[in-house]
Amino acid sequence: MSATLQNLVNQPYKHGFVTSIESDVAPKGLNEDTIRMISAKKKEPEWLLEFRLKSYEAWLKMEEPAWPNVHYPKIDFQAISYYAAPKQKPKLKSMDEVDPELLRTFEKLGVPLHERMALAGVAVDVIFDSVSVATTYKHKLAEVGIIFCSMSEAVLDHPELVKKYLGTVIPPSDNFYAALNSAVFTDGSFCYIPKGVKCPMDLSTYFRINTEESGQFERTMIIAEEGSSVSYLEGCTAPAFSSNQLHAAVVELVALDNADIKYSTVQNWYAGDENGVGGIYNFVTKRGLAKGVNSRISWTQVETGSAITWKYPSCVLLGDNSVGEFYSVAVTNHYQQADTGTKMIHIGKNTRSTIVSKGISAGHSNNSYRGLVKIAPSATGARNYSQCDSMLVGHQSGAHTFPYIQVANNSSQVEHEASTSKIGEDQLFYFAQRGINAEAAVSMIINGFCKDVFQQLPMEFAVEATALLSFKLEGSVG
Amino acid sequence: MIYKDSKILLEVRGLCANVSGTEILKGLDLTVRSGEIHAIMGPNGSGKSTFSKILAGHSAYEVTGGTVMFEGQNLLELAPEERARAGVFLAFQYPIEIPGVGNSQFLRLTYNTVQTHRGKEELDPLEFDDYVREKMKLLEMSPDFLERSVNEGFSGGEKKRNEILQMAMLDPRLAILDETDSGLDIDALRIVANGVNQLANKDNAIVLVTHYQRLLNYIVPDYVHVMEAGRIIKTGGKELAFELESRGYDWVGVEHKATARATA
Ligand SMILES: Nc1ncnc2c1ncn2[C@@H]1O[C@H](COP(=O)(O)OP(=O)(O)OP(=O)(O)O)[C@@H](O)[C@H]1O
Ligand SMILES: [Mg+2]
C-alpha cells in the first residue's frame, strides 16, 4: 500500500466525541432484578414484564452462536450496563425544547435535524441512548392514522398492537441475541400504517450509542396493514470508545395483504481504530414476515461500521405471490469483521425473492456473505435470484461466501451468481494515466460496484452512503 | 513531421530502471521534438513497455538513474495523474477492464479533469455526449460502447480503439502508443491510423511502439529507433523499419557491439 493511500484509509472517525449530557445509568450486570428495574422505570404493563422474564429464562439456557466467521474475546454479559437514559426533562412538544447539547451532537454528526427534515421532509424519531427524546411530524402522520413513535410510548399508548405483534416474527427463543434483546430492550421505534394508507414521507430514525459500556438493545416494529406502504430509514452512528460495546437490536416487520415495507439502513457505528481496538459488536436480528398475499418486504443495507457485524435481515414469504428483497453493501476495513447476509424462506405459492450482496474488504478485514434460500414444499412456482459479489482492496483482506440453498419442490427456480474482483494497482494506474487521482478512482470503482444496491436507496440516503463509502475506503488501495 | 527549430518536448538521458530488483532499462537516451513521430521497435522483452510505463509514472518501476525532462520540467517528480494532466498520454498495450464503471461516465470524468486542469470549461453530461460521439465517428466506433463498462468484454481491437478515442478526447502533447496496432484487423488498422494522423500536429508528438512495419505505412515516422536490452542502440529514418522487417534484429546488435568496440 502506498503512503498516500494509507493516509486516506486511516481517516479518523468523524463522529468520535462524547456528549456530556448527564446519563441515568443502571449498575452493571444482568439478573431478574435488572429486568424488573427496566420494566418499572418504563412503567410497563405486567404482560410485558412477563415477556421479558420468559425471554431471560430462555437466554440463560442458550449459547452464543459460534458458527459465524468472526472472532472476538468472550463477552462478559455481567460487565454491561443494561439501561442508560439521558436525564431528560418531561415530554417535548417541539424540536425547540430538545436539549441544545443534543442538537449540537446531531449537528456534529452532520444531521442537523430541522434542516434535514425541512429539506427532505423526513420525520425523524431520535433515539439517544435507548430513549426516544423527540418525535417529529407525528401529528402530520397521525392525520392519516399512522402511528410513528418510540417503542416505550407505543407500549403505553397502543398496548394492544404491541402485544399482538411483539415476538411474533422473531420469537425470543430464536437466537441468543434476540433472547437477550427481548429480555432487556429499552427502546426503539414503532410504526403502524393503517389499511390502505401510503405513508406520505420516508420515516427515519437516527440511532446513537453515547454512554461508554452501555449496551444498546433497541426493539423496532413496523406493521403495514392491508394495502398500505411505508419506507423506513435507519441511520446509526456511535462515538469512539476504546472498549467494545454490544449492540443487539431486534427489528420485526409485518406486511399484510398487498402491503409493502421498504427498510433501508446506513450503519456507521464506530468500527474500532486501525489496530482493531474498540468498536461496536453489532449482533442484530432483523426479519420481516410477508404475511399477506402480494405483500412485499425489501431490505436495503449499507453496512460500513462496527468492529463486528453479525446480521441477516430476512424475509419469511408466507403469503402467496409475496416478494422478498435484500440489497446489501458491506464494507470492512482495518480489522473489522462482518458476517452478514439474509434468509429467504419461501412458504407461499409463487413467492419471489431477490438477493444482491456486495462485500468490499480492505485492510486486514474479513467480510463474509452468508445466505439461506429455503423453498418449502408448499411454495410451488417460487423463484429466487441471488447475486453475491466481493471486492478485495489491497492484499490482506478476506472475502467469503456461504450460500445455503434448500429446495423442497421441483416447480421452483433458484439462481445463484457470485464473483470476486479486486481493485488493483493497475486499475488505479489506468485512471491516473487519464488524470484521475486515486480517491476519485476508488470512489468511481466502488460506486460502480455498488450501484445495484445504491439505486434502491432513497435519494438522500444514496448520497450519504456514497460519501460514507468513499470516506471509509479512500486510500486503502495502492 | 520534422520542423525546423521546433521545441524539445521530451528529453530522456541515461535512463536506468528496475522492476522487482532486476535492471530493465540500462541507460536509455531519446529526444523528441514537437511535431515529430517516432517509432520504437525491438525484440520482445527489450523494455519498450517498461519505458512507456515509466514515462507515465507506474509505481512498480524504480528509476535508478538518468533524467527525463518534459517541456522543461522534471517529469520524474510528477505523480502519474499530474503527468497525464500535463499532456502525457499512454495508450496501453493491454488496456485494463474496469467492471461496473460506465465507459461514458469514465470518459467524461477524465475529459473534465484534464480540461479543468487546462483552465477550460467542463462539459455537462449532455454536451459531453455530443462531443464524444463526434470523436467516436472519427474512429468509426459505435456509440454502444458508451453504455458498457470500461473495456469490459471489449475485443482486443475494441480496447485499442477505446484507447485512441481517449487520445482524441484528451488532445495530449506527447502520445505514446504501445503496440496499438497489434490486435487490430486490417480495416481497423487503417481507421485507427487515420485517426492518429488527424491528431498529429506541429505542437504535439507521437511515439509509436510497434513490431510491424505495416503500421508505419499508415503513420509515417520521422525516426525509427531500435531498442535492445534496455537501450536504444540504433536510430534511423523510416527506411530502417523496412530493413528490420527483412533482416530481423540480430544484425543491429552485432553492428552496435562492433561500433561500441571501435569507439572504446
Ligand atoms: N513487473 C515485472 N516484474 C518482473 N519482470 C518484469 C516486470 N515488468 C517487466 N518485466 C520484465 O522486463 C522486461 C521488459 O519487459 P517489457 O514489457 O518492457 O518488454 P517489451 O519490450 O514491451 O516486450 P514486448 O515486445 O513483448 O511487449 C521483460 O523481460 C519482462 O519480463
Ligand atoms: Mg510491450
Side-chain angles (χ1 to χ4, degrees), chain B residues 48-49 93 178-179 209:
Chain B
K48 304 179 297 296
S49 295
Q93 182 174 2
D178 191 0
E179 295 199 27
V209 172

Side-chain angles (χ1 to χ4, degrees), chain A residues 347-413:
Chain A
I347 300 168
K349 290 189 183 57
N350 301 315
T351 45
R352 278 170 293 145
S353 63
T354 304
I355 299 172
V356 177
S357 160
K358 306 279 177 175
I360 302 165
S361 7
H364 293 84
S365 69
N366 229 328
N367 203 325
S368 304
Y369 166 81
R370 188 182 302 276
L372 169 68
V373 175
K374 184 172 179 160
I375 299 189
S378 54
T380 50
R383 272 182 295 155
N384 162 268
Y385 171 73
S386 304
Q387 186 190 332
C388 303
D389 299 321
S390 311
M391 179 169 274
L392 296 169
V393 181
H395 307 285
Q396 284 139 325
S397 55
H400 315 272
T401 308
F402 304 101
Y404 305 90
I405 298 169
Q406 300 166 4
V407 182
N409 72 57
N410 51 22
S411 62
S412 295
Q413 239 184 16

Side-chain angles (χ1 to χ4, degrees), chain B residues 19-20 24 42-51 61 93 179 211:
Chain B
V19 59
S20 336
I24 311 282
N44 296 133
S46 55
K48 304 179 297 296
S49 295
T50 302
F51 176 53
Y61 303 92
Q93 182 174 2
E179 295 199 27
H211 285 296

Side-chain angles (χ1 to χ4, degrees), chain A residues 51-103:
Chain A
F51 175 87
R52 287 177 181 280
L53 291 173
K54 265 201 209 130
S55 306
Y56 175 65
E57 223 174 284
W59 179 72
L60 285 177
K61 293 188 199 107
M62 295 170 94
E63 296 278 343
E64 253 181 284
W67 48 264
N69 187 23
V70 296
H71 306 277
Y72 54 93
K74 238 183 146 31
I75 299 173
D76 179 359
F77 290 93
Q78 296 306 334
I80 295 171
S81 161
Y82 287 84
Y83 185 80
K87 276 195 185 144
Q88 266 290 357
K89 294 94 226 174
K91 286 252 166 157
L92 306 168
K93 285 182 204 75
S94 80
M95 289 300 296
D96 307 336
E97 296 175 38
V98 173
D99 187 334
E101 180 82 359
L102 192 62
L103 289 180

Side-chain angles (χ1 to χ4, degrees), chain A residues 391 421 425-427 429-438 440-441 444-449 451 478, chain B residues 56-59 80-81 84-85 88-90 92 96-98 100-101 105-106 109-110 113 151 163 166:
Chain A
M391 179 169 274
S421 53
E425 200 131 349
D426 281 331
Q427 282 185 339
F429 181 59
Y430 191 78
F431 276 92
Q433 213 309 296
R434 303 297 136 92
I436 302 167
N437 64 23
M444 198 173 210
I445 295 172
I446 294 289
N447 283 322
F449 181 69
K451 91 182 152 234
Chain B
H58 198 295
S59 61
E81 60 270 25
R85 293 170 194 167
V88 175
F89 181 89
L90 168 61
F92 287 87
I96 196 153
E97 302 193 357
I98 309 172
V101 174
Q105 210 191 346
F106 171 78
L109 179 64
T110 157
T113 306
N151 295 327
E163 293 291 284
Q166 293 173 60

Side-chain angles (χ1 to χ4, degrees), chain B residues 10 54-55 68-70 73-79 83 88:
Chain B
L10 178 75
I54 285 174
L55 291 181
V68 180
M69 301 297 284
F70 176 71
Q73 60 182 331
N74 180 356
L75 192 67
L76 300 177
E77 275 178 356
L78 302 182
R83 300 182 194 194
V88 175

